[in-house]
């Protein structure tokens, strides 16, 4: 077990790799910043990254992530290194490789080999339509937002199939079906599933904007129509959970509202949203899958980002792993 003073990862405006110029999902203060996916930083932080320190800062990410960042990505591109997945390269004494992490298009994990050590910054571990790849490593940093035993999710496609059946049944009963799902990934996957079931899908403005960003990045998107307050026969609505109380949605006649989210496992959230059904839809690993991923890497030192408590740390410590939290205190995101 590693001595605490020698731990590899620390946090200061992002995750730092000690003894290197590398920072991961960081906003400032390093010559090389790895962006693991298009939602790793908020819009303001992404805009700030385009200001390189004395012209020396580089952004390491994928072309798809740059494209999904829109204008911020365009400003970052002159300072960006965007290697293809699985193509290692050398930089400043480090050997670096990006490989798919899976939860969003363009999302990546990073393998850094330096001074004989193999270090992986995994970020969120994908288990959906783009499952994460694996690299063996002695040191690992993972996103632990769902690192609690209550977060156990069905296979992604199974959850989408369950959702489709709920919506079909509601429509057959004369109800107006609406699905609460967050953009971009989940909302667009839900929309594609409903379109494949023969439904016309209407969507809230943020979801249509997410579809436009995907299309601009060269990614496939389902056809979406704007919502004007009513649904006709054979139509369904996709809406953001954060706007559950919006007047347009509350005024929808004879509505059947379904939550498609990791938060569907939380009875209190489901009750607070006053939905008719809930499907645990998550493209990111829950507790059991996250433990399996960590075990498969062989890591003996594991840093946990975005955890809301120490349950995952305690579980890993019980297996003889030096596990620790890295980052500011987190609260569980209401809709994952």
């Amino acid at each position: 077990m590693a001595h605490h003073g020698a731990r590899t990862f620390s946090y200061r405006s992002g995750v730092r790799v000690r003894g290197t110029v590398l920072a991961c999902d960081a906003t400032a203060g390093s010559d090389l910043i790895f962006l693991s996916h298009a939602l790793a930083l908020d819009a303001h932080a992404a805009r700030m990254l385009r200001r390189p320190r004395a012209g020396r800062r580089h952004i390491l990410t994928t072309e798809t992530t740059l494209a999904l960042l829109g204008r911020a990505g365009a400003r970052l591109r002159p300072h960006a290194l965007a290697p293809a997945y699985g193509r290692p390269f050398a930089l400043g004494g480090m050997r670096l490789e990006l490989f798919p992490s899976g939860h969003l298009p363009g999302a990546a994990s990073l393998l850094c080999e330096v001074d004989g050590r193999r270090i992986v910054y995994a970020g969120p571990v994908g288990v959906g339509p783009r499952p994460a790849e694996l690299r063996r490593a002695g040191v690992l940093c993972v996103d632990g937002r769902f690192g609690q035993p209550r977060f156990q999710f069905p296979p992604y496609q199974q959850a989408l199939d369950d959702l489709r059946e709920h919506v079909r049944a509601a429509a057959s009963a004369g109800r107006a079906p609406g699905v609460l799902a967050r953009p971009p990934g989940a909302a667009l996957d839900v929309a594609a599933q409903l379109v494949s079931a023969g439904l016309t899908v209407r969507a809230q403005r943020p979801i249509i904007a997410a579809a436009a960003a995907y299309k601009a990045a060269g990614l496939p998107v389902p056809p979406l129509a704007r919502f004007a307050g009513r649904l006709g026969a054979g139509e369904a609505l996709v809406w953001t959970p954060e706007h559950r109380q919006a007047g347009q949605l509350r005024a929808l006649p004879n509505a059947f509202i379904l939550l498609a989210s990791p938060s569907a496992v939380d009875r209190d959230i489901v009750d607070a949203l006053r939905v008719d059904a809930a499907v645990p839809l998550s493209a990111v690993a829950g507790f059991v899958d996250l433990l399996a991923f960590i075990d498969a890497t062989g890591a003996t030192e594991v840093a946990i980002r975005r955890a809301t408590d120490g349950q995952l740390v305690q579980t890993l410590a019980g297996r003889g792993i030096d596990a620790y939290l890295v980052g500011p205190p987190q609260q569980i995101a209401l809709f994952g």
Side-chain angles (χ1 to χ4, degrees):
M1 185 178 294
H3 186 273
H4 290 186
R7 282 172 167 167
T8 302
F9 293 105
S10 62
Y11 187 90
R12 191 174 73 256
S13 301
V15 175
R16 309 301 176 97
V17 179
R18 293 187 190 276
T20 75
V21 297
L22 175 63
C24 302
D25 293 334
T27 57
S30 184
D31 290 339
L32 181 64
I33 294 179
F34 168 60
L35 286 186
S36 64
H37 59 94
L39 300 180
L41 302 177
D42 63 29
H44 173 71
R47 288 194 299 270
M48 292 297 291
L49 276 181
R50 74 178 187 273
R51 304 176 183 176
R53 186 178 64 185
R56 292 185 290 119
R57 179 183 299 153
H58 285 91
I59 306 300
L60 177 60
T61 191
T62 67
E63 283 288 353
T64 300
T65 292
L66 286 172
L68 289 176
L69 284 170
R71 291 181 180 177
R75 295 186 188 105
L76 291 174
R77 187 165 269 106
H79 312 288
L81 304 172
Y85 288 137
R87 298 285 183 88
F89 66 100
L91 185 68
M94 299 180 290
R95 184 178 182 271
L96 303 170
E97 180 193 357
L98 272 59
F99 59 98
S101 65
H103 73 298
L104 283 175
S109 299
L110 175 65
L111 169 63
C112 173
E113 296 181 79
V114 60
D115 297 332
R117 298 179 297 159
R118 287 174 62 88
I119 302 164
V120 165
Y121 180 86
V125 175
V127 293
R130 300 162 290 270
E133 288 190 8
L134 180 75
R135 297 293 186 273
R136 298 281 293 180
V139 183
L140 174 69
C141 181
V142 294
D143 188 305
R145 72 187 73 185
F146 301 130
Q148 299 172 334
R150 66 194 176 102
F151 289 113
Q152 297 192 37
F153 309 120
Y156 197 76
Q157 188 58 50
Q158 178 185 318
L160 285 174
D161 291 343
D162 290 347
L163 177 152
R164 181 191 61 213
E165 294 311 309
H166 277 295
V167 170
R168 275 179 169 168
S172 296
R175 306 284 298 277
V179 179
L180 304 178
R182 291 192 75 193
L188 296 181
D189 289 343
V190 165
Q193 180 80 344
L194 297 179
V195 168
S196 72
L199 294 166
T200 295
V201 177
R202 297 190 178 274
Q204 187 186 9
R205 188 185 301 269
I207 296 168
I208 291 177
Y214 267 45
K215 188 174 182 179
L219 298 168
V221 294
L224 298 176
R226 291 196 179 277
F227 178 60
R230 290 186 175 274
L231 292 178
E235 294 186 339
L237 174 65
V238 183
W239 199 263
T240 58
E242 293 88 342
H243 299 99
R244 170 67 179 95
Q245 300 305 321
Q248 272 190 307
L249 189 60
R250 287 190 296 150
L252 184 63
N254 200 22
F256 177 93
I257 305 299
L258 181 148
L259 173 66
S261 164
S263 296
V265 303
D266 191 317
R267 191 72 248 170
D268 289 340
I269 291 176
V270 172
D271 289 345
L273 287 172
R274 295 183 296 108
V275 295
D276 299 286
V279 172
L281 179 70
S282 178
V284 177
F287 186 72
V288 172
D289 287 335
L290 192 53
L291 286 175
F293 177 87
I294 292 168
D295 287 344
T297 67
T300 57
E301 178 189 338
V302 178
I304 310 296
R305 280 209 73 189
R306 304 187 190 280
T308 57
D309 63 24
Q311 290 189 64
L312 185 57
V313 167
Q314 293 169 9
T315 301
L316 293 171
R319 300 182 178 190
I321 293 171
D322 178 25
Y324 55 98
L325 300 177
V326 62
Q330 295 286 325
Q331 293 182 340
I332 190 68
L334 184 58
F335 307 109

